[in-house]
Structure formats: C-alpha cells, structure tokens
Amino acid sequence: MVREKVTVSTQTLQWKCVESRADSKRLYYGRFILSPLMKGQADTIGIAMRRALLGEIEGTCITRAKSEKIPHEYSTIVGIQESVHEILMNLKEIVLKSNVYGTCDASIYVKGPGYATAQDIISPPYVKIVDNTQHIANLTESIDLCIGLQIERNRGYRIKSPNNFQDGSYPIDAVFMPIRNANHSIFSYGNGNEKQEILFLEIWTNGSLTPKEALHEASRNLIDLFIPFFHTEEENFHLDDNQHKVTLPLFTFHDKLAKLRKNKKKIDFNAIFIDQLELPPRIYNCLKRSNIYTLLDLLNNTQEDLMKMEHFRLEDVKQILCILEKHFSIDLMKNQF
C-alpha cells in the first residue's frame, strides 16, 4: 500500500494519487486529490467523473457459454458438483482484460477428477485472465468438461434474454463495468471570497485496470462527449466554397514512414495499439470511432481516408505523422512497446 501526505496547493490546478493499494488480484483501490478548486467546482467535477467511471469505461467478460451435452440451464451433470446454473454464475465472475473491441471465441477443456479454474480457459493471446485461480467447477469423477465461450468487450450491463437459449448455447448476464465503486468527497478551506476546495476521488476496480488507468480513461471519455460542442461553428462552414477547399496529396502512411522503417528490425504493427501512441484525446476518439485500433489499421489508411472521418482535420494528420515519427525513431527502436 502506498500513502502520501496531502498538502494543499495554492498554485495552479493539480492532481495527485495519495493512496494506492491492491487488496487482491480482483480488487484495486486508489485515492486521488484535485486542488485548488473554486467553490462549487469540486461537486461539478466529482459528479461528472463518478458517472464517467461507472458508465463510460469499457470492460471484457464472458457473455455466452455453449455445450451440446447440457439439456437446459438448471440441469445437473453427473460427476460435477455444481449445477449448470452455478457454473454459468462462476463464469460470469471471471475477470478478463483485453484491448481489442468486439467478440472472440474461447473454450474450456478439463478432464476430471479435479477442479476447473480460470487458468483452464483457452483464449486468444490478446485476452488476459486477471486471476487464474477463479473457480469454475469441481469435477468429482473421471469425466470431460468441454465448454465453448464467447468473450466480448463493451460497456455497461446487459441482461440476458430468456429467448436466447438455443442449440446448447446459454447467454450470461454481461457485466462489462471494471469499476466496482467510485466516490467523491470535498474538503473546503479558507474564508469568504478566498474559500477554496479540494476534491477527493476514491476508485475501486476489479483488477483489469488500475484506479489510475481508470481515472485517465474516464477523463478521456468525458472529454470526448463534449468534443461536438467545440465544432459547432466548423460544421456550419460551406465546404463547397472554393475558399474552404483544401487540396490533399494522396499518399499513404507507408510511404511517409518508409525511411523510418528502413534498416530497422521488423515490427509487428498489428500488436501496437493506438492507445500506446499517446495521441490527443480528440484524435484518439476519432480513430476509435472509425474502427482503427492498431497501428496496422492506421497505416492501411490514406490521408484522404482519414480526412473523411467526422471532426478530422488536416492538422490532425500532420500531428499523427509527428507522433509516429517520434515513436518510430525512439520508442520502437528501444523495444518499449
């Protein structure tokens, strides 16, 4: 556990982590402060951040299990201590971590007698199991337990539909929220017009990300929600007018980065996610909304393709090139990805 003494700043607005601990593999805690704030600002930020933490952060979980040998959800299997319903509930509690959006397949194959745990899940390499010891089932006899799984990354909470049971496939209530709880509190100091506030944020996560990572992602998502308000005037421009037309050279990022890649070790661009490039929040979210998740996805687009994306500008293309050049010449050469 890490604790730091809280000191009140009277200078520019700053944030700091004052406490951080891992209670278990599936429970992380962090406490942060933001100060100095004017009267009323702490509530404005605290309420918005709490809602963003609980509702805007995406998570990964098992959403469906399939086994042709199971007649229905409330049946039992000879040689397995738990009922099918209990196994599904145990699968619901498995904590996963993934940077890839959408769905993917996984499976479980265990031969009894013995215990089936999260470490028996065979999943794609980009899906990580936070706690391998999480219990699934207890096989009391020499039988095989074979289950097909569907893993999905999304946000919020999705209740299974009773009409979705078919062909031995059983949907599972999807809890995509990696934040277990979030609270904010306010400390006021000073008198009269000099009164200021300190905002305290407490964050508990399920271990798939740290509280600091959760705070960063929630802030970025919150900024993304307000981006359209910054472009209301730009959207009223008549782009058909000659004075607003911009002639774009048709080149690919492959051509632009050819010199940077020359004489360097071969790099797996598909294994580098745009999250790692430290892009500005607006550019990052524009790319994400266009299903660009990896550096390979980005390199497969021309400048013209990027300019067709909503809220994307010519300056953004130039900024991406500068960032990529920086990473290719420094970070990637040192194998920091």
Side-chain angles (χ1 to χ4, degrees):
M1 183 177 71
V2 179
R3 285 181 179 269
E4 293 189 18
K5 185 178 179 181
V6 178
T7 57
V8 177
S9 171
T10 58
Q11 307 300 319
T12 57
L13 193 63
Q14 295 181 349
W15 75 276
K16 189 176 184 181
C17 177
V18 294
E19 185 175 354
S20 176
R21 67 173 185 261
D23 294 331
S24 68
K25 290 182 178 180
R26 286 176 276 163
L27 182 59
Y28 286 17
Y29 171 79
R31 191 165 182 248
F32 308 87
I33 63 171
L34 179 66
S35 69
L37 294 164
M38 297 175 62
K39 185 179 179 180
Q41 289 182 335
D43 245 341
T44 301
I45 299 174
I47 293 172
M49 284 302 302
R50 185 176 185 275
R51 293 184 67 88
L53 285 164
L54 295 175
E56 298 298 325
I57 297 183
E58 295 177 335
T60 304
C61 65
I62 298 171
T63 57
R64 187 174 291 271
K66 183 176 182 179
S67 178
E68 297 178 354
K69 297 181 180 179
I70 300 176
H72 57 83
E73 181 183 4
Y74 298 99
S75 63
T76 58
I77 302 175
V78 177
I80 299 181
Q81 181 175 313
E82 291 82 2
S83 67
V84 174
H85 178 74
E86 290 173 325
I87 294 175
L88 294 176
M89 291 302 99
N90 290 336
L91 291 173
K92 176 182 175 180
E93 297 298 323
I94 301 293
V95 179
L96 302 172
K97 180 178 182 179
S98 172
N99 289 325
V100 177
Y101 295 86
T103 61
C104 64
D105 294 326
S107 62
I108 299 174
Y109 177 77
V110 181
K111 186 175 181 62
Y115 292 97
T117 63
Q119 70 177 353
D120 296 308
I121 297 177
I122 304 171
S123 61
Y126 51 81
V127 177
K128 305 298 181 183
I129 300 171
V130 172
D131 185 3
N132 287 328
T133 65
Q134 282 186 265
H135 180 74
I136 297 176
N138 179 16
L139 281 64
T140 58
E141 298 181 12
S142 181
I143 64 169
D144 295 339
L145 176 64
C146 302
I147 303 176
L149 303 174
Q150 177 180 284
I151 295 174
E152 184 176 348
R153 178 181 171 89
N154 212 314
R155 68 175 62 185
Y157 182 82
R158 187 171 65 210
I159 301 176
K160 64 184 180 182
S161 170
N163 299 324
N164 284 342
F165 297 87
Q166 55 183 358
D167 302 328
S169 180
Y170 301 91
I172 301 173
D173 289 339
V175 184
F176 297 108
M177 299 176 291
I179 308 301
R180 289 194 170 188
N181 196 11
N183 288 329
H184 84 278
S185 57
I186 302 169
F187 173 76
S188 301
Y189 61 95
N191 297 310
N193 295 332
E194 301 296 327
K195 199 166 187 178
Q196 293 182 314
E197 298 176 337
I198 301 176
L199 172 65
F200 288 84
L201 280 171
E202 293 182 288
I203 303 172
W204 291 261
T205 73
N206 65 359
S208 62
L209 76 173
T210 66
K212 185 176 179 180
E213 291 171 336
L215 185 63
H216 176 77
E217 186 172 342
S219 302
R220 187 165 58 187
N221 290 342
L222 197 58
I223 292 171
D224 185 38
L225 292 175
F226 288 95
I227 285 177
F229 294 106
F230 288 97
H231 299 280
T232 52
E233 293 185 1
E234 293 181 12
E235 291 176 355
N236 292 330
F237 288 166
H238 299 289
L239 297 180
D240 292 335
D241 296 342
N242 292 330
Q243 58 179 340
H244 296 295
K245 284 187 176 180
V246 180
T247 303
L248 301 176
L250 297 179
F251 65 88
T252 65
F253 284 103
H254 294 287
D255 299 331
K256 188 69 176 178
L257 297 175
K259 294 181 180 180
L260 292 174
R261 294 198 302 269
K262 191 176 181 181
N263 298 325
K264 290 187 178 182
K265 186 184 290 187
K266 187 176 180 181
I267 300 167
D268 184 5
F269 296 110
N270 200 39
I272 302 174
F273 296 92
I274 60 172
D275 308 63
Q276 299 168 285
L277 300 179
E278 299 178 359
L279 296 166
R282 190 177 61 79
I283 296 178
Y284 169 83
N285 286 292
C286 285
L287 296 176
K288 188 174 71 172
R289 283 195 296 266
S290 299
N291 296 319
I292 297 176
Y293 306 119
T294 68
L295 185 54
L296 181 62
D297 297 334
L298 182 59
L299 297 178
N300 284 334
N301 285 270
T302 65
Q303 175 173 311
E304 188 179 47
D305 293 332
L306 295 178
M307 291 300 299
K308 292 178 180 178
M309 295 191 304
E310 187 178 6
H311 304 316
F312 214 83
R313 302 173 302 196
L314 182 61
E315 292 76 11
D316 299 332
V317 177
K318 296 177 181 177
Q319 191 168 0
I320 288 178
L321 289 173
C322 291
I323 293 173
L324 291 179
E325 184 173 3
K326 171 187 172 183
H327 280 276
F328 267 81
S329 59
I330 300 175
D331 297 318
L332 294 180
M333 193 171 181
K334 294 181 180 179
N335 295 321
Q336 293 181 359
F337 281 96

